[in-house]
Amino acid sequence: MTSSRNATTNAQTLHAEALEALDRGRPRRALSAWHSLLLQERPAVEAHLEAAAAGLSRDPIAPLRRQALALARMLLAGDPGEAGVSRLGALLQGWGEICLPEVPSRALQHLERAWGCGRQQRLDAQLAGLYDRLGYHTGAQLLAEPAAPPEPWLQPPCAAQACLPCQKQASPADPPLQLTQLPQGRIWVPRQRNPWRLSHGVAVQDASGQWLTQLCRHYPWPWPACPHRQALEHLTIEHLRQAERDRPPAQHAAGPVLAVAELSAELFFHWQLELLPRLGRCWQAALQQWPDLRLWHNGGSPAYVRQALQRLGIRPERLLPASDHLQAELLLVPSFTSHFGRPAHANLTWLEQFWGIEQGTADAETRLWLGRGTSQRRPALAERLWQSQLGIPALLLRSVQQQWHQVAAAGTLIAPHGAAMANLLAARPSTTVIELVNPAYAPTYFDPLIQRRQLRHRRLEAAATPLPLQEWLYEGPGLYPIDLRPGASEAADTLAALDTSS
């Protein structure tokens, strides 16, 4: 254990030296340090590169990821020399351009480091724009003529959803469900200005353009106990004002429309535990009052969405076409019924009743793996190996109710952290849940669900992602793989013990 801690400390020191060298404009020294680090962790590095390469066909930033893979393989082969410096500069500039629309502070860091690898006209212009936004006008003009006027630089007061202390704080009572009526109201969804294009905000305005702040959200969004909550709510409106310039033309709808939108609603977790119960809890009452009611939502149209709408009795003719901006003759918007990252108890109660989830006892001998499968985000390394070695079947992604049935039958659930854990809604009390996480990304999104279902929960850390790859192969911790290679982590050792005990 001591040698492992020492190795980790040495790796962190060497990585810090690489970043310092890069910040000082010495990319060759940075590459030399990273070369040593990659060789020290070669088995882990090779596993990460293999997983990233396997996901390229589904990767929205595949060209940039290929650059990172090429640089890593070049470093594994030896000292890359000036060719490596050039590749590193191009890679850092590419990451800077990805970050620029949403996280300018991270973009600035990437682009300044790229500049240390070699100047070029486009890079000078990008840095000039960032410096101008920060108010460093003289420095900006030394590089290039900045665009006028500069885009505002909106800086959050804290880490918001990435804040670890706030995740551990108790949440206040869940908000009540209320329905707001807005004649000629509008709702729109700003999307990420990067290749992922997920719902990055929710904006609701009345006919005069006044913001309904209690119905608006935008990333970064705080945990419920955040001391900077008021400042972040103000920042939300500023983000939405800035996003108005890119807002598409409105889809106009006659009559009443129930409009329900959530941050990242295209993802299973946010649809199932946030958007769907918010919709379902008010649909029937609203339909009784407005018989010609139609529905607009931002959850997309995957099979699980269609199944839920069919079960609600919402026929296709009641659905408005998908759009990012709607103005309705009468817009009906339900209030948010849960705090960020905390599924509301009333929502969970409604979901249990809606899907017909029953209490009961699971088969203690039955085990099920809630796998990551072929996910490009946060793949679980060695997942198939463990499933085969332990003889644990993977959750079959059939209908939602069939998924519930599989989970309800299992006495032990192996769950690499991800959206499949929303299926814990069907787990029987006293079921054992072994959650496997990357040390850098272990949010507590599912804790209320685990507590409600009275599950026996263990959260175990997989092996850490090699530091150089954290820097230039992934967008952030939420994308780091869950490294379950045998013998490499507490999580892998626990899986091996399961094999022994079977």
Side-chain angles (χ1 to χ4, degrees), residues 100-104 133 151-158 160-161 188-191 193 200-203 211 216-221 231-247 263:
L100 192 57
E102 310 293 353
V103 193
R133 290 171 67 182
E151 183 176 337
W153 188 304
L154 302 177
Q155 301 189 54
C158 65
Q161 68 262 25
W188 50 284
V189 178
R191 296 195 174 274
R193 294 158 61 193
H200 206 55
V202 176
W211 303 96
C216 295
R217 286 186 174 181
H218 195 284
Y219 287 123
W221 191 253
L232 283 163
E233 290 174 349
H234 175 75
L235 186 67
T236 280
I237 301 303
E238 293 304 312
H239 273 297
L240 295 175
R241 284 198 180 101
Q242 186 173 325
E244 277 189 288
R245 66 184 182 190
D246 298 322
R247 186 173 66 185
L263 298 177

Side-chain angles (χ1 to χ4, degrees), residues 121-426:
Q121 187 175 9
R122 178 178 174 85
L123 181 55
D124 283 355
Q126 290 167 334
L127 281 171
L130 284 168
Y131 291 150
D132 197 40
R133 290 171 67 182
L134 284 169
Y136 306 153
H137 306 303
T138 302
Q141 291 172 356
L142 289 174
L143 287 172
E145 186 64 32
E151 183 176 337
W153 188 304
L154 302 177
Q155 301 189 54
C158 65
Q161 68 262 25
C163 178
L164 295 178
C166 279
Q167 292 186 34
K168 299 175 183 177
Q169 299 300 314
S171 299
D174 294 331
L177 176 63
Q178 299 175 328
L179 195 63
T180 298
Q181 302 178 35
L182 297 170
Q184 295 301 325
R186 68 174 71 234
I187 183 169
W188 50 284
V189 178
R191 296 195 174 274
Q192 291 173 319
R193 294 158 61 193
N194 57 35
W196 296 278
R197 300 291 296 163
L198 291 176
S199 299
H200 206 55
V202 176
V204 177
Q205 295 171 284
D206 65 17
S208 66
Q210 183 73 28
W211 303 96
L212 279 294
T213 55
Q214 74 277 16
L215 299 175
C216 295
R217 286 186 174 181
H218 195 284
Y219 287 123
W221 191 253
W223 292 88
C226 177
H228 302 284
R229 185 177 186 87
Q230 188 172 0
L232 283 163
E233 290 174 349
H234 175 75
L235 186 67
T236 280
I237 301 303
E238 293 304 312
H239 273 297
L240 295 175
R241 284 198 180 101
Q242 186 173 325
E244 277 189 288
R245 66 184 182 190
D246 298 322
R247 186 173 66 185
Q251 172 189 177
H252 293 276
V257 176
L258 182 67
V260 194
E262 291 279 354
L263 298 177
S264 304
E266 302 86 351
L267 304 180
F268 181 69
F269 169 87
H270 297 280
W271 163 266
Q272 189 65 241
L273 299 184
E274 295 174 343
L275 195 155
L276 174 58
R278 193 168 152 227
L279 159 62
R281 288 172 60 192
C282 67
W283 173 257
Q284 289 301 329
L287 188 62
Q288 289 179 6
Q289 187 168 353
W290 295 282
D292 56 342
L293 184 66
R294 291 185 291 170
L295 172 66
W296 176 96
H297 68 84
N298 70 323
S301 58
Y304 59 81
V305 170
R306 298 195 302 272
Q307 291 164 22
L309 296 180
Q310 182 178 17
R311 190 172 179 87
L312 277 170
I314 302 176
R315 299 179 61 82
E317 57 266 25
R318 287 194 181 269
L319 294 176
L320 288 175
S323 67
D324 290 341
H325 182 192
L326 171 75
Q327 185 169 25
E329 184 177 355
L330 178 61
L331 188 73
L332 306 169
V333 184
S335 59
F336 291 106
T337 54
S338 60
H339 299 289
F340 178 80
R342 293 284 186 265
H345 290 291
N347 285 355
L348 296 178
T349 298
W350 182 87
L351 284 166
E352 289 166 348
Q353 296 170 350
F354 175 69
W355 290 112
I357 293 171
E358 301 176 353
Q359 298 291 342
T361 304
D363 181 355
E365 302 300 318
T366 300
R367 301 187 293 190
L368 184 67
W369 191 289
L370 309 184
R372 299 297 294 159
T374 59
S375 174
Q376 191 271 327
R377 296 171 58 91
R378 209 178 322 112
L381 308 185
E383 182 173 65
R384 289 185 180 179
L385 182 150
W386 285 115
Q387 289 174 6
S388 174
Q389 183 170 317
L390 298 173
I392 300 179
L395 175 71
L396 298 176
L397 300 180
R398 295 175 176 170
S399 73
V400 174
Q401 287 179 293
Q402 288 171 325
Q403 290 176 203
W404 298 149
H405 180 74
Q406 295 170 68
V407 170
T412 299
L413 298 164
I414 313 297
H417 180 87
M421 289 182 67
N423 290 294
L424 296 180
L425 181 71

Side-chain angles (χ1 to χ4, degrees), residues 359-364 410-413 427-433 450-457:
Q359 298 291 342
T361 304
D363 181 355
T412 299
L413 298 164
R428 300 291 171 84
S430 298
T431 293
T432 296
V433 178
I450 289 167
Q451 293 163 10
R452 178 181 180 82
R453 300 299 295 175
Q454 303 175 45
L455 309 180
R456 297 172 179 171
H457 177 231

Side-chain angles (χ1 to χ4, degrees), residues 85-96:
V85 171
S86 177
R87 287 199 176 193
L88 176 60
L91 176 62
L92 292 171
Q93 185 176 0
W95 278 120

